[in-house]
Amino acid sequence: MLQEKYEEKVKRYKCICRNNRTERNRIPQYQTALETKQAELRALSEQLREAQKLRGAVYDVNIIPLKYRNLHVAYFLYDYINSCYENDLDKIIQTLLLDEISQKPDEMIAQNEEMLLNQRHQIAVQELQDPSETEQHRGELQQLAELEQNQELQGIYQTMIAKNKQVTDFFLAADYIPF
């Protein structure tokens, strides 16, 4: 009976040794996979830094109060400005009841941020597919900027047009980066 237990333990030991040898032989594959994942991480980190830099540049236009600088509110403002003829930012901000928006639960905002990013991505793709419509839209924005009498607001409109193009270009470039 002791002999059987001994042989069983030896069998388990030999099995463990075989598994260890097999795993040691796979180390180069694991290292290759690790290097690939690290390269992907570096690329994603670079893309994140670029997005953060672009976000900072967009916020430098300084038309949205600091406490309302999140994706949900920014997209809501963008849609509101595009869909109405109001050009007084103070009136727009008062109309939007931003305090109500900022009181939404964090979960809801996190869900909406993903949806809004997807929508902005779709807008970028649509702009790529129909350049004439894109140019017409940018032309209309340019005309609005030129009609503005206030030089400061005109500069803000010009900056918004440029930043919108940069955001679109960023989303389109992100589609071409293989991961």
Side-chain angles (χ1 to χ4, degrees):
M1 189 167 157
L2 285 174
Q3 182 66 23
E4 286 176 15
K5 283 185 179 181
Y6 172 76
E7 288 174 6
E8 186 180 319
K9 297 281 184 184
V10 167
K11 266 186 181 177
R12 286 180 68 204
Y13 174 75
K14 287 181 180 180
C15 182
I16 290 172
C17 287
R18 274 193 310 272
N19 289 342
N20 283 343
R21 276 193 301 274
T22 303
E23 290 301 317
R24 269 191 239 112
N25 290 337
R26 291 182 183 166
I27 287 176
Q29 293 170 340
Y30 293 147
Q31 286 176 331
T32 303
L34 175 64
E35 290 169 2
T36 302
K37 294 299 179 188
Q38 286 174 334
E40 288 176 13
L41 178 62
R42 284 190 294 275
L44 288 171
S45 296
E46 180 59 34
Q47 191 176 4
L48 175 62
R49 280 192 293 280
E50 181 66 27
Q52 289 171 334
K53 191 168 106 178
L54 182 59
R55 181 190 62 195
V58 169
Y59 282 152
D60 281 346
V61 175
N62 206 22
I63 63 167
I64 300 172
L66 187 60
K67 80 180 208 178
Y68 301 116
R69 289 184 182 182
N70 66 52
L71 187 60
H72 179 72
V73 175
Y75 197 80
F76 191 82
L77 281 171
Y78 177 79
D79 274 351
Y80 186 81
I81 290 170
N82 278 342
S83 64
C84 74
Y85 294 104
E86 184 63 62
N87 62 4
D88 183 359
L89 188 60
D90 290 333
K91 286 182 184 177
I92 292 171
I93 290 176
Q94 290 171 5
T95 304
L96 294 178
L97 303 171
L98 290 176
D99 288 330
E100 183 179 314
I101 292 171
S102 68
Q103 293 172 0
K104 289 190 174 192
D106 289 341
E107 290 177 8
M108 185 76 162
I109 290 174
Q111 290 171 352
N112 287 340
E113 284 179 351
E114 183 67 27
M115 182 183 70
L116 294 173
L117 277 175
N118 290 335
Q119 286 176 348
R120 188 57 183 97
H121 179 262
Q122 288 300 324
I123 290 170
V125 170
Q126 286 173 351
E127 286 186 7
L128 178 66
Q129 292 172 348
D130 193 359
S132 64
E133 186 176 319
T134 303
E135 287 306 314
Q136 178 184 356
H137 179 67
R138 287 199 181 121
E140 290 170 359
L141 290 175
Q142 185 66 34
Q143 284 179 335
L144 284 174
E146 291 170 0
L147 291 175
E148 181 59 52
Q149 299 298 318
N150 183 334
Q151 290 293 325
E152 183 179 341
L153 285 176
Q154 191 176 35
I156 289 172
Y157 284 146
Q158 295 287 350
T159 306
M160 284 171 60
I161 293 168
K163 297 303 177 190
N164 186 44
K165 176 153 178 31
Q166 284 180 329
V167 169
T168 299
D169 292 345
F170 174 80
F171 275 104
L172 293 175
D175 277 349
Y176 294 108
I177 298 175
F179 292 108

